[in-house]
PDB file of all heavy atoms in Angstrom:
ATOM      1  N   GLU E  44     -27.319  12.239   8.319  1.00 77.00           N
ATOM      2  CA  GLU E  44     -28.416  13.202   8.403  1.00 77.00           C
ATOM      3  C   GLU E  44     -29.719  12.500   8.756  1.00 77.00           C
ATOM      4  O   GLU E  44     -30.055  11.449   8.214  1.00 77.00           O
ATOM      5  CB  GLU E  44     -28.564  13.940   7.073  1.00 77.00           C
ATOM      6  CG  GLU E  44     -29.535  15.103   7.107  1.00 77.00           C
ATOM      7  CD  GLU E  44     -29.559  15.861   5.800  1.00 77.00           C
ATOM      8  OE1 GLU E  44     -28.571  15.793   5.048  1.00 77.00           O
ATOM      9  OE2 GLU E  44     -30.586  16.501   5.527  1.00 77.00           O
ATOM     10  N   GLY E  45     -30.424  13.074   9.703  1.00 81.00           N
ATOM     11  CA  GLY E  45     -31.693  12.489  10.107  1.00 81.00           C
ATOM     12  C   GLY E  45     -31.578  11.466  11.211  1.00 81.00           C
ATOM     13  O   GLY E  45     -32.591  11.003  11.740  1.00 81.00           O
ATOM     14  N   ASN E  46     -30.341  11.098  11.589  1.00 90.00           N
ATOM     15  CA  ASN E  46     -30.157  10.148  12.685  1.00 90.00           C
ATOM     16  C   ASN E  46     -30.066  10.928  13.994  1.00 90.00           C
ATOM     17  O   ASN E  46     -29.173  11.750  14.179  1.00 90.00           O
ATOM     18  CB  ASN E  46     -28.886   9.327  12.466  1.00 90.00           C
ATOM     19  CG  ASN E  46     -28.796   8.137  13.411  1.00 90.00           C
ATOM     20  OD1 ASN E  46     -28.936   8.283  14.611  1.00 90.00           O
ATOM     21  ND2 ASN E  46     -28.589   6.960  12.848  1.00 90.00           N
ATOM     22  N   SER E  47     -30.984  10.653  14.885  1.00 92.00           N
ATOM     23  CA  SER E  47     -31.064  11.427  16.122  1.00 92.00           C
ATOM     24  C   SER E  47     -29.869  11.205  17.045  1.00 92.00           C
ATOM     25  O   SER E  47     -29.640  11.988  17.970  1.00 92.00           O
ATOM     26  CB  SER E  47     -32.354  11.070  16.870  1.00 92.00           C
ATOM     27  OG  SER E  47     -32.364   9.693  17.217  1.00 92.00           O
ATOM     28  N   GLN E  48     -29.094  10.148  16.803  1.00 96.00           N
ATOM     29  CA  GLN E  48     -27.933   9.867  17.651  1.00 96.00           C
ATOM     30  C   GLN E  48     -26.669  10.576  17.158  1.00 96.00           C
ATOM     31  O   GLN E  48     -25.646  10.551  17.845  1.00 96.00           O
ATOM     32  CB  GLN E  48     -27.654   8.363  17.695  1.00 96.00           C
ATOM     33  CG  GLN E  48     -28.728   7.551  18.380  1.00 96.00           C
ATOM     34  CD  GLN E  48     -28.498   6.071  18.190  1.00 96.00           C
ATOM     35  OE1 GLN E  48     -29.331   5.369  17.602  1.00 96.00           O
ATOM     36  NE2 GLN E  48     -27.370   5.576  18.658  1.00 96.00           N
ATOM     37  N   ALA E  49     -26.734  11.183  15.976  1.00 95.00           N
ATOM     38  CA  ALA E  49     -25.557  11.821  15.390  1.00 95.00           C
ATOM     39  C   ALA E  49     -25.746  13.326  15.293  1.00 95.00           C
ATOM     40  O   ALA E  49     -26.774  13.803  14.815  1.00 95.00           O
ATOM     41  CB  ALA E  49     -25.274  11.236  14.010  1.00 95.00           C
ATOM     42  N   ILE E  50     -24.749  14.054  15.754  1.00 95.00           N
ATOM     43  CA  ILE E  50     -24.699  15.503  15.588  1.00 95.00           C
ATOM     44  C   ILE E  50     -23.497  15.799  14.700  1.00 95.00           C
ATOM     45  O   ILE E  50     -22.362  15.462  15.060  1.00 95.00           O
ATOM     46  CB  ILE E  50     -24.530  16.226  16.930  1.00 95.00           C
ATOM     47  CG1 ILE E  50     -25.620  15.809  17.908  1.00 95.00           C
ATOM     48  CG2 ILE E  50     -24.513  17.733  16.730  1.00 95.00           C
ATOM     49  CD1 ILE E  50     -25.336  16.237  19.340  1.00 95.00           C
ATOM     50  N   CYS E  51     -23.733  16.373  13.544  1.00 93.00           N
ATOM     51  CA  CYS E  51     -22.646  16.623  12.592  1.00 93.00           C
ATOM     52  C   CYS E  51     -22.196  18.073  12.681  1.00 93.00           C
ATOM     53  O   CYS E  51     -23.023  18.989  12.684  1.00 93.00           O
ATOM     54  CB  CYS E  51     -23.099  16.299  11.171  1.00 93.00           C
ATOM     55  SG  CYS E  51     -23.506  14.547  10.953  1.00 93.00           S
ATOM     56  N   MET E  52     -20.897  18.277  12.736  1.00 93.00           N
ATOM     57  CA  MET E  52     -20.335  19.615  12.882  1.00 93.00           C
ATOM     58  C   MET E  52     -19.145  19.783  11.947  1.00 93.00           C
ATOM     59  O   MET E  52     -18.281  18.904  11.860  1.00 93.00           O
ATOM     60  CB  MET E  52     -19.888  19.847  14.328  1.00 93.00           C
ATOM     61  CG  MET E  52     -19.097  21.126  14.545  1.00 93.00           C
ATOM     62  SD  MET E  52     -18.506  21.295  16.252  1.00 93.00           S
ATOM     63  CE  MET E  52     -20.035  21.741  17.059  1.00 93.00           C
ATOM     64  N   SER E  53     -19.100  20.906  11.262  1.00 93.00           N
ATOM     65  CA  SER E  53     -17.938  21.257  10.451  1.00 93.00           C
ATOM     66  C   SER E  53     -16.965  22.030  11.338  1.00 93.00           C
ATOM     67  O   SER E  53     -17.325  23.060  11.915  1.00 93.00           O
ATOM     68  CB  SER E  53     -18.359  22.118   9.259  1.00 93.00           C
ATOM     69  OG  SER E  53     -17.227  22.544   8.533  1.00 93.00           O
ATOM     70  N   ALA E  54     -15.749  21.513  11.508  1.00 95.00           N
ATOM     71  CA  ALA E  54     -14.754  22.155  12.358  1.00 95.00           C
ATOM     72  C   ALA E  54     -13.367  21.831  11.842  1.00 95.00           C
ATOM     73  O   ALA E  54     -13.133  20.774  11.243  1.00 95.00           O
ATOM     74  CB  ALA E  54     -14.901  21.695  13.805  1.00 95.00           C
ATOM     75  N   ASP E  55     -12.440  22.742  12.068  1.00 96.00           N
ATOM     76  CA  ASP E  55     -11.050  22.583  11.655  1.00 96.00           C
ATOM     77  C   ASP E  55     -10.235  22.157  12.863  1.00 96.00           C
ATOM     78  O   ASP E  55      -9.991  22.955  13.774  1.00 96.00           O
ATOM     79  CB  ASP E  55     -10.527  23.905  11.090  1.00 96.00           C
ATOM     80  CG  ASP E  55      -9.095  23.803  10.593  1.00 96.00           C
ATOM     81  OD1 ASP E  55      -8.505  22.696  10.654  1.00 96.00           O
ATOM     82  OD2 ASP E  55      -8.553  24.827  10.136  1.00 96.00           O
ATOM     83  N   ILE E  56      -9.795  20.899  12.892  1.00 97.00           N
ATOM     84  CA  ILE E  56      -9.059  20.401  14.049  1.00 97.00           C
ATOM     85  C   ILE E  56      -7.655  20.985  14.143  1.00 97.00           C
ATOM     86  O   ILE E  56      -6.973  20.788  15.151  1.00 97.00           O
ATOM     87  CB  ILE E  56      -8.975  18.862  14.056  1.00 97.00           C
ATOM     88  CG1 ILE E  56      -8.186  18.344  12.850  1.00 97.00           C
ATOM     89  CG2 ILE E  56     -10.366  18.243  14.132  1.00 97.00           C
ATOM     90  CD1 ILE E  56      -7.827  16.873  12.959  1.00 97.00           C
ATOM     91  N   CYS E  57      -7.218  21.709  13.106  1.00 97.00           N
ATOM     92  CA  CYS E  57      -5.911  22.363  13.141  1.00 97.00           C
ATOM     93  C   CYS E  57      -5.976  23.731  13.812  1.00 97.00           C
ATOM     94  O   CYS E  57      -4.933  24.354  14.050  1.00 97.00           O
ATOM     95  CB  CYS E  57      -5.348  22.526  11.729  1.00 97.00           C
ATOM     96  SG  CYS E  57      -5.291  21.007  10.772  1.00 97.00           S
TER      97      CYS E  57
END
Side-chain angles (χ1 to χ4, degrees):
E44 189 175 337
N46 192 309
S47 61
Q48 294 171 241
I50 305 167
C51 297
M52 171 184 285
S53 175
D55 182 2
I56 64 168
C57 307

